[in-house]
Amino acid sequence: MIFSSLEINKEEPLYAQIEKHIIKSIEKGELKKGSKLPSTREVSELLNISRNTIVTAYENLESQGIVLSEKGKGTFVAREAKIVKDDYNIHWEDKINNYGKTCETLDIIKTELPWKKGMISFKSIAPEEKLFDLEEFKRSFLEIWSLEGEKLLNYGYAKGYKPLIEYLLQYMREKGVNTEGKDILITNGFTEGFDIILAALTNAKDIILCEEPTHNTALKIMKAYGLKILSVPMDEGGINVAQLEKALKEESPKLAYLIPSYHNPTGIVMKGERRRKVYDLFKKYSVPIIEDGFNEELLYSSSPIEPMAALASRGNGVVYIGSFSKILFPGLRIGWILADKALIDTLESVKRAKTIHCSFLDQGVFYHYMKSGAFNKYLKKARKIYKNKYNFTIQQVKEYIPHEFIMGEGGLHVFLKLKRGIDSREVLRLCYERGVLFTPGDIFYNNSKEISTLRLGFSRLSEEEIKKGIKIIGEVVKSLE
Amino acid sequence: MIFSSLEINKEEPLYAQIEKHIIKSIEKGELKKGSKLPSTREVSELLNISRNTIVTAYENLESQGIVLSEKGKGTFVAREAKIVKDDYNIHWEDKINNYGKTCETLDIIKTELPWKKGMISFKSIAPEEKLFDLEEFKRSFLEIWSLEGEKLLNYGYAKGYKPLIEYLLQYMREKGVNTEGKDILITNGFTEGFDIILAALTNAKDIILCEEPTHNTALKIMKAYGLKILSVPMDEGGINVAQLEKALKEESPKLAYLIPSYHNPTGIVMKGERRRKVYDLFKKYSVPIIEDGFNEELLYSSSPIEPMAALASRGNGVVYIGSFSKILFPGLRIGWILADKALIDTLESVKRAKTIHCSFLDQGVFYHYMKSGAFNKYLKKARKIYKNKYNFTIQQVKEYIPHEFIMGEGGLHVFLKLKRGIDSREVLRLCYERGVLFTPGDIFYNNSKEISTLRLGFSRLSEEEIKKGIKIIGEVVKSLE
């Protein structure tokens, strides 16, 4: 019987294997047109698999016109010779457009050295999950579940879960933002917020003004969209005002992307007079600001600062992107855009065309968690722990790594520049051999050939690991001096 | 005192109101340069608000250089006259690009007649949430919570939650798909899957081949990307083979988007010989197929059919997009792309640039729910209920609405064409006055001026509502004959 030669593998569904075996037997000429196939019962017994599986295989072959089943008589081969032509193969690499290629080329997870078990990695700036208050979160889940479980599992609204939107509007008001004429769109974190804004407002070759250095994910997304990045250097107080005015005047950018309150990666907080001047310049040249509210909640060495969106008052020139992902539940992917009402209305349609809406279950649980007061309790605890780690890290860097500067007024990382133009990639290569990883600073730069900076994320490391890792980095740096 | 005239509103944060009031008083000349402001204690008592609020307002004014605080002496006005320039206003409408405009113009939620309380709406094709098995879902949540709660709340992987990917690979194998050399990317439902594929593979003006009619959301997304839609008409067996070959030969489309197994909106299942022929044509012309696996799980009057991706065997020419959103938990936004491994690798980078990843909490709970066997139990129950509603709807349409055809072999809706070229938009207008809503068929067409079709979704309506609504539609149609 033809099935004696069939060897079952685990990769494919059984009935597909049976189909293929029959097709091959026809192709090889072992089964001719008109030949009767063994009965499903016989095959089932021989191969010791369910009869239904064989029935499915025979039915599929019949629907393809390869066999023909006659009631009461059995199943017969209906065609001869070559049935399956060569596999249909596409060379996908040739089909990827510039957007796709840029996303891949600049995807640091694929291009940077990978973490291996046992290594001390300063790469992560994700929050330490052990700090999350799981009991409170579960309570929030159970509470909202009993209130509106089934509703949260069905389609919701593109703009977001209404109570969460109201909560965030109030949260923004508490930060000093005038929400009159403004609205909020819930997004899958900062990343989707930024993606939606660029998708709706920019065309390839548009000029977008940024700080130099700036957030590497933002750089990646802007480059993928084919935007021309107009980088304005920073000094220790923030973006350089004279160079900013020159850039605004000479290049007429369409938009600006700024991280004014806790800059990534430098950690600079742009304050007082400088902040106002920068804002006024954008106003003067009518260039809208996309403000990244990154890490506003995690300042340690300076007092909380209003977002730039607060300076705008009733004006609508600032589009604010918020996210709690650096302190709370990044796995849920909840962020928001606060902007002019009419603009949000358009962005809501864009959101609907991209992901329809964010998980209503997550939004509901998140809202209940925030509203319960658990967030403030958690924030207090987390700030204290992170602040200690931050101080410890700074102290260790000062002790072990020869540096030109250390920057950052809070957050989950410090940013430093090595002395005498030492190449941080070379440092990384040597540290990697000794089990230590960090983020080389060059990925945050667009124009400058800045080779001596690096970012050290400390949020998920113990003091012991921080000390050990920094000592190794220090030794490597010294060996290169 | 200057604060006697301040009227507090609820829209803005208190301290912002105090700031503005002071600025206005300076502008009006009520406060001159050098004037001393009332002490924070006085203002606090007068307005009966927390002293901290006043302190914040004064500090903000100071950081803007508007007032100056002198230790032990008080706070003084530092500037004169006009301080706040005109608000910085952007006319956002002028900034929206074609993509954003198209998303908005084709956003049917904003353009179609809205549901009002008490109306019978045949518009929805979402699942009936009352059928969801909430207890099983909660159990899955609690189970995975105790296993890996904190991990699910932190950043995860762009490709998705690994056990869910494994589960879906097996699910696809059971559908007859050969998963060798293939991989899966988890997306926010079908919509994000389609968005990611178009973002990575197409450029404006590329030609994409589709069935006519086709899924209106897909039409919207393709148009927003500026693609040229090459529509090939369907007959009752699926896409017309002769016209398909002509289109492939003459127009060399870059891609095709097809809904072969349960077509939206017609409900046509493309079977056997036709299916194979269509597949072979795409292979012959080397045009990749994006297959929308819409509603495959909800066939009633024909037996389950393998997706086209199964015909591809080891070939990589078919990119399959799957989603359970029409049967299960659309609120969670979980869908997937199954495709060539190298292509998924690129799409994973695109996903990371757009939304980083889908909620790991949702993926985890969803996986546990599916794995527990609850899905199969639920599917059996839901299919039975939907099948009854489907049969009931067909029967009611036959009884009350004069029609040329009724289409659909399952799913959550039927598609019909009225007799004698009656305009379904006119029917809708009149039905709306009588409290009945449905989806006019024209939104599913690209080229044809098809005015007589309509889609009736029945999933969330009772038999009583279905009967009442269809009777009204029938009466309106008859009144127009």
Side-chain angles (χ1 to χ4, degrees):
Chain A
M1 172 165 125
I2 57 149
F3 286 104
S4 320
S5 59
L6 172 59
E7 278 174 32
I8 301 289
N9 68 60
K10 283 184 180 173
E11 280 290 309
E12 281 179 90
L14 285 171
Y15 67 86
Q17 296 185 51
I18 290 165
E19 279 180 59
K20 271 193 205 155
H21 188 76
I22 292 172
I23 290 171
K24 269 193 196 151
S25 304
I26 299 173
E27 287 176 351
K28 285 189 204 154
E30 290 166 12
L31 283 173
K32 309 247 179 262
K33 186 171 173 177
S35 304
K36 189 177 171 186
L37 295 181
S39 76
T40 53
R41 185 180 305 270
E42 284 174 278
V43 185
S44 160
E45 280 165 10
L46 177 75
L47 300 176
N48 195 25
I49 52 181
S50 133
R51 200 172 153 197
N52 276 341
T53 307
I54 326 291
V55 171
T56 305
Y58 281 19
E59 282 176 359
N60 287 344
L61 288 168
E62 186 165 16
S63 80
Q64 292 166 43
I66 294 167
V67 304
L68 197 74
S69 145
E70 289 181 49
K71 227 176 172 176
K73 287 186 181 169
T75 305
F76 301 87
V77 175
R79 288 200 208 156
E80 204 123 277
K82 195 87 181 150
I83 292 167
V84 175
K85 293 161 210 156
D86 294 318
D87 278 340
Y88 165 28
N89 272 301
I90 298 289
H91 197 248
W92 283 107
E93 218 185 302
D94 302 342
K95 304 267 179 193
I96 309 291
N97 62 17
N98 285 333
Y99 174 83
K101 275 180 201 151
T102 312
C103 289
E104 192 158 31
T105 316
L106 299 180
D107 191 353
I108 56 167
I109 293 191
K110 291 186 180 166
T111 50
E112 298 290 331
L113 291 168
W115 177 82
K116 287 180 195 162
K117 216 174 165 176
M119 283 188 165
I120 296 174
S121 174
F122 291 95
K123 274 165 72 175
S124 174
I125 55 164
E128 168 56 87
E129 64 233 25
K130 286 178 208 135
L131 296 178
F132 296 158
D133 190 344
L134 295 184
E135 274 312 305
E136 282 288 354
F137 190 90
K138 186 167 124 186
R139 199 169 313 153
S140 302
F141 170 84
L142 293 173
E143 194 185 345
I144 196 149
W145 191 252
S146 64
L147 287 174
E148 40 181 342
E150 63 207 38
K151 275 189 197 158
L152 295 175
L153 292 179
N154 214 333
Y155 282 112
Y157 304 98
K159 234 175 67 174
Y161 180 61
K162 215 173 166 203
L164 180 61
I165 292 175
E166 290 302 326
Y167 177 88
L168 290 171
L169 280 167
Q170 181 56 33
Y171 185 76
M172 294 307 291
R173 281 193 286 268
E174 281 161 20
K175 280 176 183 273
V177 174
N178 184 336
T179 61
E180 240 184 293
K182 309 279 194 325
D183 207 348
I184 276 182
L185 174 73
I186 306 290
T187 60
N188 284 292
F190 164 81
T191 305
E192 192 188 28
F194 196 52
D195 181 62
I196 284 177
I197 291 167
L198 296 191
L201 296 177
T202 67
N203 294 302
K205 294 183 187 159
D206 277 353
I207 298 172
I208 186 160
L209 186 147
C210 302
E211 291 136 339
E212 171 97 325
T214 192
H215 181 27
N216 62 306
T217 296
L219 272 178
K220 172 177 76 178
I221 300 173
M222 293 183 287
K223 285 181 178 170
Y225 275 105
L227 303 182
K228 284 191 192 164
I229 297 170
L230 176 60
S231 296
V232 178
M234 298 178 76
D235 52 47
E236 65 254 10
I239 195 164
N240 183 289
V241 174
Q243 298 200 54
L244 172 62
E245 176 143 34
K246 188 163 177 278
L248 287 168
K249 204 175 192 168
E250 292 175 5
E251 308 279 350
S252 309
K254 179 161 191 177
L255 285 172
Y257 164 70
L258 299 181
I259 326 169
S261 299
Y262 181 89
H263 183 264
N264 186 7
T266 66
I268 290 170
V269 179
M270 189 165 60
K271 298 192 193 101
E273 198 71 18
R274 167 88 67 121
R275 208 175 174 82
R276 162 62 61 180
K277 266 191 199 152
V278 166
Y279 175 79
D280 284 343
L281 278 175
F282 282 100
K283 189 162 147 179
K284 180 173 168 192
Y285 292 95
S286 272
V287 174
I289 298 170
I290 304 168
E291 175 176 21
D292 179 352
F294 182 71
N295 268 355
E296 259 167 32
E297 284 75 14
L298 288 177
L299 293 180
Y300 314 134
S301 47
S302 56
S303 49
I305 188 159
E306 290 183 349
M308 270 202 154
L311 293 181
S313 183
R314 283 189 181 77
N316 69 359
V318 180
V319 175
Y320 179 93
I321 310 179
S323 160
F324 293 116
S325 291
K326 292 300 167 285
I327 33 172
L328 200 68
F329 312 152
L332 299 186
R333 316 295 316 118
I334 292 179
W336 68 96
I337 304 172
L338 174 119
D340 176 80
K341 228 179 193 108
L343 177 60
I344 289 291
D345 200 51
T346 301
L347 299 183
E348 180 198 14
S349 289
V350 171
K351 167 83 183 163
R352 198 176 278 117
K354 286 190 169 290
T355 55
I356 304 195
H357 60 67
C358 293
S359 163
F360 259 60
L361 177 63
D362 292 359
Q363 292 184 67
V365 181
F366 191 72
Y367 163 69
H368 267 251
Y369 177 87
M370 299 302 276
K371 190 192 76 157
S372 73
F375 176 58
N376 288 329
K377 241 168 53 195
Y378 162 78
L379 190 57
K380 222 170 145 181
K381 178 181 75 173
R383 274 175 61 95
K384 200 174 153 196
I385 292 170
Y386 290 139
K387 186 177 178 176
N388 286 341
K389 280 196 190 183
Y390 162 81
N391 286 328
F392 183 77
T393 304
I394 298 259
Q395 180 209 318
Q396 296 299 304
V397 170
K398 283 187 178 160
E399 186 159 346
Y400 294 110
I401 309 179
H403 58 272
E404 201 174 307
F405 61 68
I406 316 175
M407 278 180 163
E409 302 196 21
L412 305 176
H413 70 264
V414 299
F415 189 69
L416 56 129
K417 184 169 183 173
L418 303 173
K419 279 190 175 166
R420 287 180 278 282
I422 287 178
D423 184 347
S424 62
R425 290 229 168 240
E426 176 66 6
V427 176
L428 177 59
R429 198 182 59 75
L430 296 167
C431 284
Y432 194 68
E433 287 169 9
R434 297 182 61 186
V436 174
L437 263 170
F438 57 81
T439 307
D442 57 9
I443 64 167
F444 303 103
Y445 290 83
N446 176 45
N447 283 332
S448 335
K449 293 262 172 289
E450 178 48 71
I451 60 162
S452 297
T453 55
L454 54 113
R455 190 180 75 176
L456 300 179
F458 51 75
S459 51
R460 298 163 91 181
L461 298 175
S462 67
E463 290 205 346
E464 201 184 342
E465 291 169 312
I466 293 171
K467 189 183 191 85
K468 193 176 159 196
I470 286 179
K471 260 178 133 171
I472 291 175
I473 299 172
E475 285 165 21
V476 167
V477 169
K478 283 173 197 158
S479 78
L480 292 171
E481 280 187 315
Chain B
M1 173 162 120
I2 56 150
F3 285 103
S4 319
S5 59
L6 172 60
E7 277 174 31
I8 302 287
N9 68 60
K10 284 184 180 171
E11 281 289 310
E12 281 178 90
L14 284 171
Y15 69 87
Q17 296 185 49
I18 289 166
E19 280 179 60
K20 270 193 206 154
H21 188 76
I22 293 172
I23 289 170
K24 269 193 196 148
S25 304
I26 299 173
E27 287 176 350
K28 285 188 203 155
E30 290 167 13
L31 284 173
K32 308 247 180 262
K33 185 171 171 178
S35 303
K36 188 176 171 185
L37 295 181
S39 76
T40 52
R41 186 180 303 272
E42 284 173 277
V43 185
S44 159
E45 279 166 11
L46 176 75
L47 299 177
N48 194 25
I49 52 182
S50 133
R51 201 172 151 197
N52 275 341
T53 307
I54 326 291
V55 170
T56 306
Y58 281 18
E59 281 177 359
N60 287 343
L61 288 169
E62 187 164 12
S63 80
Q64 293 165 41
I66 294 167
V67 303
L68 197 74
S69 146
E70 289 181 47
K71 228 179 170 174
K73 288 187 182 168
T75 306
F76 302 87
V77 176
R79 287 199 208 156
E80 204 123 274
K82 195 89 181 152
I83 293 168
V84 176
K85 294 161 209 155
D86 295 320
D87 278 339
Y88 167 27
N89 272 300
I90 298 289
H91 196 248
W92 284 106
E93 218 185 302
D94 301 340
K95 304 268 180 192
I96 309 292
N97 62 16
N98 284 334
Y99 175 82
K101 276 181 199 150
T102 311
C103 289
E104 192 158 31
T105 316
L106 299 181
D107 191 352
I108 55 167
I109 293 191
K110 292 185 179 166
T111 50
E112 298 290 331
L113 291 168
W115 178 81
K116 287 180 195 162
K117 215 175 165 176
M119 283 189 164
I120 297 174
S121 174
F122 291 96
K123 274 165 73 174
S124 174
I125 55 166
E128 167 56 86
E129 64 234 25
K130 285 178 209 135
L131 297 177
F132 295 159
D133 189 344
L134 294 185
E135 274 313 305
E136 281 289 355
F137 190 90
K138 186 166 123 186
R139 199 169 312 154
S140 302
F141 170 84
L142 293 173
E143 194 186 343
I144 196 150
W145 191 253
S146 64
L147 287 173
E148 40 182 342
E150 64 208 36
K151 274 190 197 158
L152 296 175
L153 292 180
N154 215 334
Y155 282 112
Y157 304 98
K159 234 175 68 176
Y161 180 62
K162 215 172 166 204
L164 180 60
I165 292 175
E166 290 303 326
Y167 177 89
L168 290 171
L169 280 167
Q170 181 56 32
Y171 186 77
M172 294 307 293
R173 281 193 285 270
E174 281 161 19
K175 282 176 183 273
V177 174
N178 185 337
T179 61
E180 240 183 294
K182 309 279 196 323
D183 206 347
I184 276 182
L185 174 72
I186 306 289
T187 59
N188 284 293
F190 164 81
T191 305
E192 192 188 28
F194 196 53
D195 182 61
I196 284 177
I197 292 168
L198 295 191
L201 297 176
T202 67
N203 294 302
K205 294 185 186 157
D206 277 351
I207 297 172
I208 185 161
L209 186 147
C210 300
E211 291 138 337
E212 170 98 324
T214 191
H215 181 26
N216 61 307
T217 296
L219 271 179
K220 172 177 75 178
I221 299 173
M222 294 184 286
K223 285 181 179 171
Y225 274 105
L227 304 181
K228 284 191 191 163
I229 297 170
L230 176 60
S231 295
V232 178
M234 300 178 76
D235 53 46
E236 65 253 9
I239 195 164
N240 183 290
V241 174
Q243 297 199 54
L244 172 62
E245 176 143 33
K246 190 162 175 282
L248 286 168
K249 202 177 194 164
E250 292 175 4
E251 308 279 348
S252 311
K254 180 161 192 176
L255 286 172
Y257 164 70
L258 298 181
I259 325 167
S261 300
Y262 182 89
H263 183 265
N264 186 7
T266 66
I268 290 169
V269 179
M270 189 164 62
K271 299 193 192 97
E273 197 73 17
R274 166 89 66 120
R275 205 174 177 82
R276 164 61 62 181
K277 265 190 198 153
V278 165
Y279 175 78
D280 285 343
L281 277 176
F282 282 99
K283 189 163 149 180
K284 179 173 167 191
Y285 291 95
S286 271
V287 175
I289 298 170
I290 304 168
E291 175 176 22
D292 179 353
F294 182 72
N295 268 354
E296 258 166 32
E297 283 75 15
L298 288 177
L299 293 180
Y300 314 133
S301 46
S302 56
S303 48
I305 188 159
E306 289 182 350
M308 269 200 155
L311 294 181
S313 183
R314 280 189 184 74
N316 69 358
V318 180
V319 175
Y320 179 91
I321 309 178
S323 160
F324 294 117
S325 291
K326 292 299 168 284
I327 33 173
L328 200 67
F329 311 152
L332 299 186
R333 316 294 318 117
I334 293 180
W336 68 95
I337 303 173
L338 174 120
D340 176 77
K341 229 180 192 106
L343 177 60
I344 288 291
D345 199 50
T346 301
L347 299 183
E348 180 198 16
S349 289
V350 172
K351 167 83 182 165
R352 198 176 278 119
K354 287 188 167 289
T355 55
I356 305 194
H357 60 67
C358 293
S359 163
F360 260 59
L361 178 64
D362 292 0
Q363 291 184 68
V365 182
F366 190 71
Y367 163 69
H368 267 249
Y369 177 87
M370 299 303 277
K371 189 192 77 158
S372 73
F375 176 60
N376 288 329
K377 241 170 54 195
Y378 161 79
L379 190 57
K380 221 170 147 181
K381 178 181 76 174
R383 275 174 61 96
K384 201 174 153 195
I385 291 169
Y386 289 139
K387 186 176 179 177
N388 286 341
K389 279 196 191 182
Y390 162 81
N391 286 328
F392 183 76
T393 305
I394 299 259
Q395 180 209 316
Q396 296 299 304
V397 169
K398 283 187 178 158
E399 186 161 346
Y400 294 110
I401 309 179
H403 57 273
E404 202 174 304
F405 62 67
I406 316 176
M407 278 180 162
E409 301 195 21
L412 305 176
H413 69 265
V414 299
F415 189 70
L416 56 128
K417 185 169 181 171
L418 303 172
K419 280 191 173 164
R420 286 179 282 282
I422 286 178
D423 184 347
S424 62
R425 290 229 167 239
E426 176 67 6
V427 176
L428 176 59
R429 198 182 60 75
L430 295 167
C431 284
Y432 194 68
E433 288 170 9
R434 297 181 60 187
V436 175
L437 263 171
F438 56 80
T439 306
D442 56 9
I443 64 167
F444 303 102
Y445 290 84
N446 176 44
N447 283 332
S448 335
K449 294 260 171 290
E450 178 48 71
I451 60 162
S452 297
T453 56
L454 55 114
R455 189 178 77 176
L456 301 179
F458 52 73
S459 51
R460 298 163 92 181
L461 298 175
S462 66
E463 289 204 347
E464 200 186 341
E465 290 170 313
I466 293 171
K467 190 186 191 86
K468 193 175 158 197
I470 286 180
K471 260 178 133 171
I472 290 174
I473 299 173
E475 285 165 21
V476 167
V477 169
K478 284 172 195 158
S479 79
L480 292 171
E481 280 187 314

